Amino acid sequence: MSFERGYDVVVAGAGVAGTAAALEAARCGRRVALVEKTILVGGLATTGLVNVYLPLCNGCGTQVTFGIAEEFLHLSARYGPGEVPPGWREGQGRYLLVFNPASLVLALDEVLSEAGVDVWLDTLVCAPAMAGDRLVGLEVENKSGRGLLRARCVVDATGDADVARRAGAECAQGENWLSIWALQASLDAAHRAAEQGSGAPLLDAVRLGGDDAGRGAPPGRAWDGTRGRDVSRFVLETRRMLREHYRARQAERGAAGRCDVFPLTLPAMAQFRTTRCIVGQSTLTDGQHGQRFPDSVGLVADWRKAAHVWEVPYGTLLPRRVQGLLAAGRCMAAAGDAWQVMRVIPPAALTGQVAGLAAALAVRHGTTPDGLDAGDVQRALREKAIPLHLSDVGL
């Protein structure tokens, strides 16, 4: 090994979930490392250009998700455009906003630095370090070579359950359909910006391909996103779709078309929705919205359907067969349509914060996350004014 460091908590993946986990654990006084294979924090929300901060409310005027998830929503507009619909409490829109990805990166960098998180960018997680069934660190590699980051607790926020799978946890696979989001420049957007006297219309997105169920996707198979060659083929196919889109759009505008509308920024990571997740000590499944769970650690709204709100059991963050590990974000334990609810930004931020808090508590009590009493986690969350059950918000 070229280097070795010791931490209380090591978080793998600096997407929204991983950033929230690292931030919470550090604010709890733990020594925290956040490991990210790219040079940008924020994951699919930033590097992936998926720039809609989906709702924190149930669509009927009731906020259900709080804590770091709400903090991040407002951070996304700290250094760029983004407005919450003012009438969301009266059912006129929802508590969400569209943000500029680069602006969110700058804001997340800022809060991580303020919290004292040790951020390792351009660093690849290579292998788990195990002591029997317990995860005790991560082997990583960067420009300095191969190193070991020892940890008393690890959070897998890779989005693909990479750490959990390699550590021996039971995992489940998902399916994906061809789709791509990108940011573009266009004369139309420039004219709108000039008319409004604001740069906000310049945040112009193009979105092509299928939805969660594959509707609108080009004919062909589903993709699972966990095979190396498939990742390359998926990315190249989605960029082909974008190329065809601009070829047609520019042709409509004649000789000057390539100067009138064109891609400005492409996603720098594959925009998979559901790839791999843990099989947890409990798993959220279809039809469980509105259900009470004794070990619930927060609430999330279905971003597609008004009045559908889910309690999130603590057991969904705990993998089977591996100790010293929590999963957060889209690799926590969910199945079917419930996975589509839980994979987006607000649930990722919520489960990240819970994972960071649970990791900090496990370190404090000298145990592993599965050895914690869920009641201890719940009490700590209530101290942060985070509602745990539907009844806590009047539902």
Side-chain angles (χ1 to χ4, degrees):
M1 293 292 176
S2 301
F3 57 89
E4 184 173 328
R5 303 284 190 278
Y7 297 91
D8 294 321
V9 179
V10 174
V11 181
V16 168
T19 301
L23 189 62
E24 179 63 27
R27 287 174 173 174
C28 289
R30 300 299 103 192
R31 177 166 165 73
V32 180
L34 177 60
V35 185
E36 169 56 38
K37 64 183 179 181
T38 74
I39 62 166
L40 300 176
V41 299
L44 278 168
T46 58
T47 309
L49 305 183
V50 181
N51 66 324
V52 180
Y53 207 112
L54 289 166
L56 303 180
C57 72
N58 68 345
C60 305
T62 300
Q63 183 178 350
V64 299
T65 308
F66 295 78
I68 285 179
E70 185 173 20
E71 179 183 354
F72 279 7
L73 180 145
H74 293 286
L75 281 177
S76 71
R78 176 177 287 184
Y79 295 112
E83 303 295 335
V84 175
W88 70 267
R89 291 191 182 277
E90 290 75 45
Q92 301 169 18
R94 296 185 73 171
Y95 190 4
L96 56 72
L97 59 75
V98 177
F99 60 90
N100 176 42
S103 301
L104 179 55
V105 172
L106 297 181
L108 293 178
D109 282 347
E110 186 172 27
V111 294
L112 288 168
S113 176
E114 290 170 351
V117 175
D118 195 4
V119 181
W120 293 68
L121 300 177
D122 195 24
T123 298
L124 183 66
V125 173
C126 299
M130 306 294 296
D133 292 333
R134 180 166 181 172
L135 185 60
V136 295
L138 297 174
E139 289 186 21
V140 301
E141 190 160 328
N142 58 24
K143 297 297 184 183
S144 297
R146 180 69 67 99
L148 176 63
L149 304 184
R150 295 197 175 274
R152 298 169 68 184
C153 190
V154 174
V155 177
D156 184 342
T158 61
D160 306 315
D162 288 332
V163 173
R165 182 186 68 83
R166 294 176 186 181
E170 185 178 354
C171 294
Q173 295 286 135
E175 291 186 339
N176 299 268
W177 302 92
L178 288 175
S179 66
I180 186 169
W181 291 26
L183 298 182
Q184 67 181 7
S186 70
L187 277 179
D188 293 340
H191 287 151
R192 291 195 300 270
E195 290 169 0
Q196 297 175 22
S198 168
L202 298 176
L203 188 58
D204 191 14
V206 57
R207 295 160 185 162
L208 306 174
D211 63 11
D212 297 338
R215 292 181 292 264
R221 64 181 176 89
W223 306 68
D224 73 20
T226 61
R227 294 193 295 265
R229 291 299 298 161
D230 262 15
V231 174
S232 297
R233 293 188 181 104
F234 180 92
V235 170
L236 291 172
E237 278 297 299
T238 57
R239 292 210 291 253
R240 179 191 57 77
M241 290 165 52
L242 198 62
R243 190 165 61 245
E244 292 178 353
H245 169 79
Y246 281 111
R247 184 182 295 121
R249 288 285 309 278
Q250 291 170 357
E252 292 170 359
R253 296 177 177 235
R258 64 184 179 83
C259 299
D260 288 355
V261 58
F262 52 87
L264 186 65
T265 305
L266 302 180
M269 63 185 294
Q271 295 172 323
F272 292 114
R273 292 181 170 100
T274 52
T275 53
R276 184 194 296 120
C277 68
I278 66 166
V279 175
Q281 293 190 4
S282 58
T283 296
L284 275 179
T285 59
D286 295 351
Q288 290 185 316
H289 62 275
Q291 183 173 331
R292 179 184 174 88
F293 295 99
D295 64 337
S296 176
V297 288
L299 303 170
V300 298
D302 189 325
W303 48 278
R304 308 156 304 175
K305 304 170 186 174
H308 282 204
V309 180
W310 302 66
E311 294 192 2
V312 183
Y314 178 57
T316 61
L317 309 187
L318 300 174
R320 298 179 183 178
R321 299 203 301 257
V322 178
Q323 295 183 314
L325 178 65
L326 292 133
R330 63 189 177 116
C331 59
M332 52 85 72
D337 197 50
W339 199 357
Q340 300 295 346
V341 174
M342 296 303 301
R343 68 173 174 80
V344 298
I345 294 175
L350 171 70
T351 57
Q353 181 174 11
V354 173
L357 177 62
L361 288 173
V363 169
R364 180 191 305 171
H365 295 301
T367 186
T368 55
D370 61 304
L372 285 175
D373 185 327
D376 291 337
V377 180
Q378 291 174 315
R379 279 187 288 276
L381 289 166
R382 287 194 184 280
E383 289 175 1
K384 297 175 181 292
I386 295 176
L388 309 179
H389 298 288
L390 295 160
S391 58
D392 293 342
V393 293
L395 299 177

